[in-house]
Amino acid sequence: MLLTHYDPKLPIIVATDASSTGIGAVIFHEFSNGHLKAIQHASKSLTPAEKGYGQPEKEALALKYAVTKFHKYLLGRRFTLLTDHKPLLSIFGSKKGIPLHTANRLQRWALMLLNYDFDIRHVSTNDFGCADMLSRLIDRSKQQEEEYVVAAISLEKDMVSIIQNTIEQVPVSFADIQSATQANEPLQAVLQFIREGWPNDARSVKDPEIRVYFNRRESLTNVDGCILFHDRVVVQSKFRRQILKQFHRGHPGMVRMKSIARSFVYWPEIDNDIENFTRQCTPCCTTGKAPVKTTLESWPIPDKPWSRIHIDYAGPVDGVFFLVVVDPYTKWPEVYATKTTTTRTTIKLLTQTFATFGEPETIVSDNGTQFTSYEFRNFCENQGIHHVRTAPFHPQSNGLAERFVDTLKRTPRKIRSGGDTLEEALQTFLQVYSSTPTADLGEKSPAEIIKNMTEPNINTMQMEVDREEAIMESSSIEDIPSCSSSILDTPVGAGDGFEDDDDFEDGINITILSTTTNRISTCSCY
């Protein structure tokens, strides 16, 4: 443990280690004979928050503490860091930069260490006694002031300037704050702790008004008899309501008022006081938004495409209405232009849609007359479709269709400003909309989802080609096994081709895919 004088010509080695209660660091000189002699030892106990760190973060904190502690020796010099925690080598010693998956706290420390020129090496714990001992012998020791500041000139003047600039923004003077602090016994006790040092344990502080400052003790400063929390002045209870009135003179909301207050003043429970003050403001209460009557709940996402569709009418635009049909599973829209919005027209357009995509299980619409008519209800019953109507005067219940209607109204109007016709603008809008990836679909576009649904099976197409070749090569139709089905299609699961009756056994069942009806059926061969 003998120390040696610092020599700028000798190599420097810094060793660090962390335990469950503290961290230790040693800076060495390496002599020509390979011996190491310590220049300085350092250690500190961990705060309650730091004790909750994982072991990699504690070891990284030890590196950051050691380099900052020995800043005067290390800045501008090449040195070696020693650690017994091997995972840190990939974070602080990688030549490819900081790994992207690294935790944010470790990334910040790694960025800070980029200011220094060092190599990092792993050392076995058995050969790491000096730093390890320092990290374990400080369980009950008093936490020392960190020597982070290399040089400071007229610090007191700077702090006085900060408090003066802060008080200029509040309706009290520096003298008022100073005199009120002197008359307040709990704040006088806090000032004494700031000057003489805080106890190690919060339980040693009996007064609850003083105990609330214990967790913030590292950020408290005494400036001419006033207390600063960072750059915010600590305000006594007699001035708090007056200051809140000043901050609320423009009637900002709770969040904005908290943002204003956090820039200038501090006292315990300041956020609760701001919330209560805002709730008791009569103008804010009378002009505020009505509270939500019930918790809003989104429609559940269907488990398959085209099982539920949302429909609505948009327009008129230049005398034309648009029937909008949206599938919530794929976000695929169908838009039909029409001159009328009658029930008969609606049924006709929906029938065209069902001919392309199939019949859905559920239709969601508003309470328009074309959707509430007996004819439309009879149409849904005949098709076996469950029709759901939203609550009257509550268009949010059909939000998917309503949102698309709003987009349909605005976007083509922008496109038409370039001279396009309504039909051209509508086609351009639908093309761009259906090909745009969205986060709801896993960064895929509605067109990609629809394409994956309707994309033909390559194996089925190949089997159909094989069957055609087999028919062409057969000398007669009798060479092909007979089938009880009237349509002979591709055998599913068959081989590369067949040329004679030996390819199948009598009485077996064959699953076939009809190329005309696109249906799968089963037949027996004899």
Side-chain angles (χ1 to χ4, degrees):
M1 300 295 286
L2 295 178
L3 300 181
T4 186
H5 291 287
Y6 173 76
D7 188 345
K9 298 179 181 180
L10 294 177
I12 294 178
I13 297 177
V14 178
T16 66
D17 195 21
S19 66
S20 59
T21 58
I23 55 181
V26 186
I27 179 171
F28 298 97
H29 265 326
E30 184 178 17
F31 291 87
S32 57
N33 58 3
H35 291 172
L36 300 179
K37 287 191 177 181
I39 304 172
Q40 184 179 350
H41 303 88
S43 62
K44 70 179 288 287
S45 59
L46 297 177
T47 65
E50 291 170 346
K51 290 180 181 179
Y53 290 176
Q55 191 59 31
E57 292 178 315
K58 289 180 180 177
E59 299 286 351
L61 177 63
L63 293 179
K64 175 242 182 188
Y65 166 77
V67 173
T68 309
K69 183 73 175 180
F70 305 136
H71 171 85
K72 300 175 184 178
Y73 300 110
L74 303 178
L75 186 64
R77 288 207 54 184
R78 181 89 176 166
F79 61 95
T80 302
L81 274 176
L82 301 183
T83 178
D84 62 348
H85 197 71
K86 197 169 185 177
L88 295 183
L89 270 65
S90 61
I91 299 175
F92 296 96
S94 176
K95 304 300 182 183
K96 299 180 181 179
I98 303 172
L100 295 177
H101 61 272
T102 307
N104 289 340
R105 184 182 291 114
L106 297 180
Q107 286 187 3
R108 291 196 301 270
W109 293 342
L111 288 173
M112 188 206 72
L113 293 183
L114 291 178
N115 294 317
Y116 300 88
D117 184 13
F118 64 89
D119 290 324
I120 185 169
R121 294 207 316 256
H122 173 257
V123 178
S124 174
T125 305
N126 297 331
D127 304 326
F128 216 55
C130 189
D132 182 69
M133 177 193 65
L134 290 171
S135 68
R136 299 179 185 275
L137 296 181
I138 54 175
D139 188 14
R140 295 292 180 182
S141 64
K142 181 179 177 181
Q143 184 172 350
Q144 300 295 326
E145 185 73 17
E146 304 294 349
E147 296 183 3
Y148 288 167
V149 179
V150 178
I153 301 175
S154 64
L155 178 61
E156 186 69 19
K157 293 182 179 180
D158 292 342
M159 299 304 297
V160 171
S161 176
I162 290 175
I163 194 171
Q164 289 177 349
N165 293 335
T166 300
I167 292 179
E168 286 178 359
Q169 307 298 325
V170 295
V172 292
S173 65
F174 179 83
D176 294 336
I177 297 290
Q178 192 177 44
S179 60
T181 303
Q182 293 175 355
N184 190 294
E185 293 184 2
L187 291 183
Q188 284 299 306
V190 172
L191 282 173
Q192 183 177 356
F193 281 130
I194 294 175
R195 289 190 294 262
E196 301 178 1
W198 288 85
N200 292 331
D201 194 348
R203 291 173 293 185
S204 303
V205 182
K206 304 300 182 182
D207 192 341
E209 294 186 30
I210 303 175
R211 192 179 304 137
V212 295
Y213 293 96
F214 180 83
N215 293 334
R216 298 165 176 80
R217 62 191 183 279
E218 302 295 338
S219 303
L220 297 177
T221 309
N222 173 24
V223 179
D224 289 347
C226 296
I227 301 175
L228 282 184
F229 174 62
H230 291 298
D231 56 351
R232 301 157 58 184
V233 62
V234 177
V235 177
Q236 297 72 33
S237 57
K238 60 184 296 185
F239 298 123
R240 292 174 185 174
R241 188 164 186 84
Q242 182 181 355
I243 291 175
L244 290 179
K245 288 182 179 179
Q246 174 72 11
F247 290 158
H248 196 67
R249 68 185 188 279
H251 296 280
M254 289 184 186
V255 176
R256 293 184 60 193
M257 190 171 173
K258 289 179 183 179
S259 178
I260 296 172
R262 288 168 183 164
S263 301
F264 304 107
V265 296
Y266 170 79
W267 63 80
E269 303 294 334
I270 184 174
D271 287 350
N272 292 337
D273 291 346
I274 291 174
E275 292 175 4
N276 294 332
F277 188 90
T278 306
R279 292 191 184 102
Q280 296 171 5
C281 177
T282 302
C284 290
C285 294
T286 55
T287 60
K289 295 182 180 179
V292 179
K293 296 180 180 180
T294 184
T295 303
L296 300 179
E297 185 175 352
S298 302
W299 283 90
I301 300 176
D303 55 358
K304 57 183 178 180
W306 213 255
S307 62
R308 187 184 77 239
I309 61 174
H310 294 249
I311 62 176
D312 195 11
Y313 271 103
V317 179
D318 295 344
V320 179
F321 294 90
F322 298 99
L323 176 63
V324 174
V325 182
V326 184
D327 173 28
Y329 184 87
T330 62
K331 301 296 188 294
W332 179 266
E334 286 288 311
V335 180
Y336 298 93
T338 176
K339 293 289 185 180
T340 61
T341 61
T342 61
T343 301
R344 182 166 300 179
T345 300
T346 304
I347 293 176
K348 178 181 177 181
L349 297 177
L350 289 178
T351 303
Q352 294 179 14
T353 305
F354 299 162
T356 304
F357 297 98
E359 297 172 350
E361 299 175 1
T362 305
I363 292 179
V364 181
S365 71
D366 57 17
N367 291 275
T369 55
Q370 60 272 83
F371 303 128
T372 58
S373 65
Y374 172 80
E375 188 177 357
F376 189 82
R377 182 178 63 182
N378 191 41
F379 166 75
C380 293
E381 291 177 354
N382 292 338
Q383 301 295 327
I385 300 173
H386 179 54
H387 183 205
V388 177
R389 296 201 301 266
T390 60
F393 307 105
H394 197 269
Q396 297 93 327
S397 301
N398 195 17
L400 185 63
E402 293 287 349
R403 184 166 59 251
F404 185 83
V405 166
D406 179 65
T407 306
L408 180 63
K409 289 179 179 179
R410 291 183 290 105
T411 307
R413 189 183 308 153
K414 301 175 186 177
I415 299 174
R416 293 182 66 187
S417 62
D420 295 353
T421 64
L422 177 60
E423 182 179 0
E424 292 172 342
L426 181 61
Q427 291 174 355
T428 301
F429 161 68
L430 292 176
Q431 182 181 8
V432 173
Y433 184 91
S434 60
S435 61
T436 302
T438 63
D440 295 340
L441 301 178
E443 300 303 329
K444 292 185 178 180
S445 64
E448 290 181 90
I449 304 298
I450 289 291
K451 182 180 178 182
N452 292 336
M453 291 166 42
T454 59
E455 193 172 47
N457 190 294
I458 301 300
N459 295 330
T460 303
M461 296 175 62
Q462 181 62 41
M463 287 187 291
E464 183 175 351
V465 173
D466 294 341
R467 177 195 174 278
E468 296 291 343
E469 293 177 353
I471 294 176
M472 297 299 296
E473 295 175 1
S474 301
S475 57
S476 64
I477 192 65
E478 287 79 8
D479 292 335
I480 301 176
S482 61
C483 181
S484 60
S485 173
S486 59
I487 301 176
L488 183 61
D489 290 306
T490 307
V492 177
D496 293 336
F498 54 90
E499 297 182 355
D500 50 35
D501 295 344
D502 294 336
D503 290 340
F504 299 98
E505 298 179 1
D506 292 342
I508 65 172
N509 293 330
I510 301 176
T511 302
I512 62 175
L513 175 65
S514 172
T515 58
T516 57
T517 64
N518 199 27
R519 295 179 180 274
I520 296 177
S521 59
T522 303
C523 67
S524 300
C525 295
Y526 300 93

